[in-house]
Amino acid sequence: MKFELSATDGAARAGRLTTTNGVVETPIFMPVGTHAAVKALAPDDLSAAGAQIVLANTYHLFLRPGHDVVRELGGLHRFMGWDRAILTDSGGFQVWSLAKLRKITDAGVEFRSPVDGSTHFLSPEVAVEVQHALGADIIHPLDECLAYPASRADTERSLELTLRWAARSKAAHAGAGRSQAMFGIVQGGAEADLRRRAAAATVELGFDGYAVGGLAVGEPKPAMYDLTELVASLLPAGQPRYLMGVGKPEDLVRSVARGVDMFDCVLPTRNARNGQAFTADGPVTLKQARYLRDGAPLDPDCGCYACRGFSRAYLRHLFMAGELLAYRLLTLHNVTFFLRLAREMRAAIVAGGFASFQSRFFARYPVSGGAGEPGDARLSAAD
Amino acid sequence: MKFELSATDGAARAGRLTTTNGVVETPIFMPVGTHAAVKALAPDDLSAAGAQIVLANTYHLFLRPGHDVVRELGGLHRFMGWDRAILTDSGGFQVWSLAKLRKITDAGVEFRSPVDGSTHFLSPEVAVEVQHALGADIIHPLDECLAYPASRADTERSLELTLRWAARSKAAHAGAGRSQAMFGIVQGGAEADLRRRAAAATVELGFDGYAVGGLAVGEPKPAMYDLTELVASLLPAGQPRYLMGVGKPEDLVRSVARGVDMFDCVLPTRNARNGQAFTADGPVTLKQARYLRDGAPLDPDCGCYACRGFSRAYLRHLFMAGELLAYRLLTLHNVTFFLRLAREMRAAIVAGGFASFQSRFFARYPVSGGAGEPGDARLSAAD
C-alpha cells in the first residue's frame, strides 16, 4: 500500500492511497458493508455512487457465513463481487457493542454469538487470521473499545491491553506478505494524555496507517473534535488517518479540517432505511406529509439514479408503502451524497480553498446544537 | 391499441401488441407492481430483465397514495419512472381478497381500507375514473371474483353482476378517447356453461382484449386448464387474451398451449423474497445448507446481473443474514427467468416448434402432482 499527499490546506489533506485493488482518493467516505453487502446496494450501485472503498465487519463475517467459507469462495472481493478496495475492522467494536457474555482476559475475548448462541473466542491472533481469510486490502488489530464515560483507571487498563494486542497483531501479520495493509488503532478514551500515549506507542509499533478509535461513543462533540485534532497532530504526516464510525456530514467536514483522511459510518445507509435523505440543505424526512405531492427530485443538486428518475412524492409513497425499492433508492442517494461531499472536500483542498468550502457548506447545511452538545453515541456497527 | 398475430402453432399464438407506450411481444409475462413498483426492482432492473409491460393494482393505488396524487404527478408512467406499457386491474380481486367489511350492491362495493380503516366505495364508474387518473395503457372493468368453490346460484348471480358492471364500465370509458385500451373480464366460476355465457356476453359488449378472471382461485389444476382452453376457444382470434393471476412456469407453458397471450403473477417476486430462485431445472431454495459453499451461479443458463456476478453461496448468505440485496438480486433473477420463458415460447411458436419446446421444458422442469392435484389458490394480489 502506498499513500501520497497530493495537497494540504491548513490541517486538511488530499491524498492518494494505492491499494492492491485500486486507488482511493482521500478524504474518502467508506460505506459500511456489514455482512459483505452495503445494505440495499449492489456493487453496481456502489460504483455509480462513486465508492472507492467499502468497509466490511470482521465480527459479522466471522459469525456468518464464517471466514473459512469466504476464503473458500475466493475471498471477500470475489464473494461480494466488489473489485475495488475493502477495509475490515478487527471485530473489537462489535464484540463490545453486540455480543453477549463477554469474558475478557489478556489472551482475548470469549463471547456468545447473537445469531445462534454459540460460543466464540477472538484473540489478536485469531482476528488477524480471520482477516487474512477475508482478504481485505486494509485490516486492523483487535482492540478494546471503551464505552463513554469510563474511569481513568479503566481507560488506562484498556489502553494498555489494546497496545499489547496491537503488538501481537502486528507480529501475527508480519509473515503474511504485503498484499494486506494493517492500520494501528489509537485508543485512550476521553483523556488527552492517554491519547498522546496511545498515539506515540501505536506509531512506535509502526503500521501502514492509523485509525482513531473510541470516539463517537457518547462523548460531547467538542471533545470528539479536540481529541481528533490532538491525535491527528501526533500521527505521521505521510500515512493515512481513519476516524472510525464518524459520522454526520458536518462531522466529516470538521474532521477533515483537523487532518482526517478516511471515515466510515452507518448513517447514510441506516437513515435511508428510516426514510431520511441527506441534501446540501440538510436532511429530508420523507414521511412528512408535505412531500405527498412534491414532484421535485430529492436533491436537485444530485445526479444519482434516485434523483434523476423519481420525485419526492414517489419516494415518499414507496417508503410509506414499505416498498423495498425505497430503501435501495434512498440508500443510493445518501451514499452518493456522502461520497460527493468527500470529493468536493478533496477538490477544495487541492484548490487551496477548504476554509471557504467550509463556510459555504455550513451556510446551507443546518447543524443542530453547538458547543457542549452531547455527542451522538456511535451508530452501532451492525448497520 | 393494435394486436397482430405473428404466428400460431396449434392453439399457441405469437403476437405483437402495440400500446401507447411501446410494443409488447406475446406471449408475455407481466411482473406485478402492486404499489407502482415491482417489489425490490427499479425500472432499470425491469428493463434489464426484458420486461415490456408491468401490472399495477388499481385498488392499492386508489388507497395509497390516491389516484388524484398519481394524476397530479403526471400519471403512473411518470410517477413510477416506467416508460413502457402498464396494465391496471380493476381493483375487484383485491376488494374481495383483501378489504374488510364489504357491502356489495348493484351500485358497487363499499369496503374498509386495511391501510387506515377508512371507508371507500368502488363502483364500475369510479373504477374507470381511477384508472383514467392512473393512465395505464390497458385498463379493466370492475368485476366480482368469486372464491372457489361457489354454488351454482352464487356463480350465476355473480356473473350477471359482472356483466352488468362490464356494460357500465364500457360506457364510462366510452368518452375517454383511445389512448387507454380496455379489456373485458370473463368470469363464470368453474361452470363450463357459465363460462360459455360469460365469454359470449363479454365479447358481445366488445372490448380491446379479453381477460380470463376467477381462475387460479383454488380449483383443481385440470379444471383450470380445461376452463382456460374453453374460454380461449370462444374469444376472437384477433385480440389479446390475458389469464389473470397465473402462474407457475408450467402453468404458463400449458396455458400458452391453450391460446393465452398474457400472464401476471406475484410468484417470481414473492418467492424471491422467500429465498426461492427459478431455474430450468426447477426452483432452488437457497436456505438449504447444501448451498453454503456453492460457488456456482444461481442458474448457469441465465445472464441476469445476479447470475453474472454472484455465487449461490453469496446469495444464500445475503438471504440468511436478511440483507435487502438478496431480495433485489433474487427478484431480478426470477423476473428474468419468467420473461425468458415467455420469449422462448414465442420463438418456438414462430418457428412452429411449440410441441417440442413443451417436451424439452417438461423434460427438465419438475412438476409436482398431476391430474387431480388441488389447484393453488391464487397468490394474493398484494405482492
Side-chain angles (χ1 to χ4, degrees), chain A residues 35-37 39 41-45 64-65 68 72-73 79-80 293 295 305 310 313-314 317 320 323 325 328, chain B residues 35-37 39 41-45 64-65 68 72-73 79-80 293 295 305 310 313-314 317 320 323 325 328:
Chain A
H35 298 105
K39 287 202 186 304
L41 298 188
D44 59 353
D45 293 319
R64 182 170 58 190
D68 57 325
E72 194 176 317
L73 289 157
F79 185 58
M80 65 187 287
R293 293 163 192 272
Y305 180 58
F310 310 95
Y314 180 65
H317 163 68
M320 299 304 284
E323 284 290 330
L325 180 57
R328 177 181 168 214
Chain B
H35 298 105
K39 288 204 183 306
L41 298 188
D44 60 353
D45 293 319
R64 184 171 54 191
D68 56 325
E72 195 176 317
L73 289 158
F79 186 58
M80 65 187 286
R293 294 163 192 271
Y305 180 57
F310 309 97
Y314 181 64
H317 163 68
M320 299 303 284
E323 284 289 330
L325 180 56
R328 177 182 168 214

Side-chain angles (χ1 to χ4, degrees), chain B residues 5-275:
Chain B
L5 275 184
S6 313
T8 58
D9 185 0
R13 302 137 52 92
R16 275 173 65 86
L17 182 65
T18 305
T19 75
T20 309
N21 290 284
V23 169
V24 176
E25 299 205 306
T26 63
I28 192 72
F29 178 80
M30 301 181 282
V32 175
T34 309
H35 298 105
V38 174
K39 288 204 183 306
L41 298 188
D44 60 353
D45 293 319
L46 289 168
S47 296
Q52 301 175 41
I53 177 170
V54 301
L55 179 148
N57 288 124
T58 296
Y59 167 87
H60 291 287
L61 296 169
F62 174 61
L63 295 180
R64 184 171 54 191
H67 56 291
D68 56 325
V69 171
V70 176
R71 174 169 43 205
E72 195 176 317
L73 289 158
L76 207 41
H77 292 85
R78 185 156 159 207
F79 186 58
M80 65 187 286
W82 175 248
D83 60 7
R84 304 201 59 165
I86 301 176
L87 176 150
T88 44
D89 59 7
S90 66
F93 182 75
Q94 286 77 21
V95 168
W96 269 268
S97 59
L98 299 174
K100 314 279 181 200
L101 291 173
R102 299 179 301 263
K103 198 172 81 183
I104 180 170
T105 62
D106 217 61
V109 56
E110 189 180 282
F111 63 95
R112 282 241 176 116
S113 162
V115 176
D116 60 6
S118 56
T119 301
H120 297 270
F121 181 72
L122 211 53
S123 67
E125 291 75 15
V126 171
V128 168
E129 184 195 325
V130 171
Q131 291 179 88
H132 284 170
L134 297 175
D137 300 272
I138 301 171
I139 69 176
H140 287 84
L142 188 64
D143 63 331
E144 184 180 22
C145 183
L146 273 189
Y148 177 89
S151 71
R152 170 89 190 177
D154 278 350
T155 309
E156 279 185 309
R157 181 207 51 75
S158 174
L159 171 57
E160 297 309 319
L161 181 72
T162 288
L163 289 172
R164 286 195 300 278
W165 284 2
R168 283 166 56 189
S169 301
K170 198 187 166 189
H173 185 50
R178 302 304 295 159
S179 75
Q180 292 181 281
M182 182 183 268
F183 281 15
I185 304 179
V186 177
Q187 291 284 353
E191 314 272 336
D193 64 323
L194 297 183
R195 286 278 170 184
R196 284 181 192 277
R197 154 139 181 77
T202 311
V203 170
E204 172 76 22
L205 284 169
F207 289 95
D208 300 305
Y210 295 90
V212 187
L215 291 181
V217 292
E219 76 284 2
K221 274 286 168 81
M224 181 181 108
Y225 296 133
D226 289 349
L227 291 166
T228 297
E229 185 168 351
L230 171 68
V231 173
S233 73
L234 300 168
L235 295 174
Q239 290 179 278
R241 304 163 183 169
Y242 158 34
L243 181 54
M244 305 180 99
V246 172
K248 294 187 175 179
E250 63 266 32
D251 297 330
L252 267 59
V253 175
R254 288 175 174 154
S255 302
V256 165
R258 287 161 172 81
V260 174
D261 306 308
M262 303 166 72
F263 303 88
D264 79 285
C265 191
V266 299
L267 194 73
T269 40
R270 178 174 302 167
N271 286 23
R273 301 197 303 283
N274 293 324

Side-chain angles (χ1 to χ4, degrees), chain A residues 90 106 123-125 127-128 140-144 158-174 182-187 198 201-207 210:
Chain A
S90 67
D106 217 61
S123 67
E125 291 76 15
V128 168
H140 287 83
L142 187 65
D143 63 331
E144 184 180 24
S158 174
L159 171 58
E160 296 309 319
L161 182 71
T162 288
L163 289 172
R164 285 194 300 277
W165 284 2
R168 283 165 55 188
S169 301
K170 198 188 166 187
H173 185 50
M182 182 181 268
F183 282 15
I185 303 178
V186 177
Q187 292 285 355
T202 311
V203 171
E204 173 77 23
L205 284 170
F207 289 94
Y210 296 91

Side-chain angles (χ1 to χ4, degrees), chain B residues 327-345:
Chain B
Y327 308 131
R328 177 182 168 214
L329 292 177
L330 291 175
T331 305
L332 178 61
H333 168 75
N334 282 353
V335 169
T336 301
F337 178 84
F338 273 64
L339 285 161
R340 196 180 66 205
L341 175 60
R343 272 201 312 281
E344 287 173 353
M345 288 196 284

